[in-house]
Amino acid sequence: MPIIHVNIIEGRTDQQKELLIHEITEAVNRAINAPKESVRVLISDVPAQHWGIGGQSAKTLGR
């Protein structure tokens, strides 16, 4: 059972997350022929102030 864990900066809509889950599942199915029913996708929303890019938080960088 493939388990895909995705970390993203918070702020995406539920609809965007649903699409992400769908597209990742499709990609895993195509790439390794895993049955879609066995694919698990976990999304972690990370606050922008907890996401570092080049020594600064994403919040400081306006992301």
Side-chain angles (χ1 to χ4, degrees):
M1 161 183 2
I3 301 172
I4 313 304
H5 191 168
V6 180
N7 294 301
I8 58 175
I9 297 173
E10 66 185 357
R12 276 38 174 236
T13 66
D14 288 344
Q15 184 179 10
Q16 288 173 315
K17 292 175 194 173
E18 288 285 341
L19 180 58
L20 181 59
I21 290 168
H22 173 76
E23 293 295 333
I24 289 171
T25 300
E26 292 292 326
V28 171
N29 172 258
R30 282 192 311 272
I32 64 172
N33 201 31
K36 293 177 188 178
E37 299 78 24
S38 74
V39 177
R40 305 294 187 260
V41 179
L42 307 171
I43 298 176
S44 295
D45 280 321
V46 179
Q49 65 268 24
H50 295 175
W51 191 286
I53 302 169
Q56 297 183 52
S57 73
K59 183 176 182 178
T60 299
L61 295 171
R63 298 192 182 183

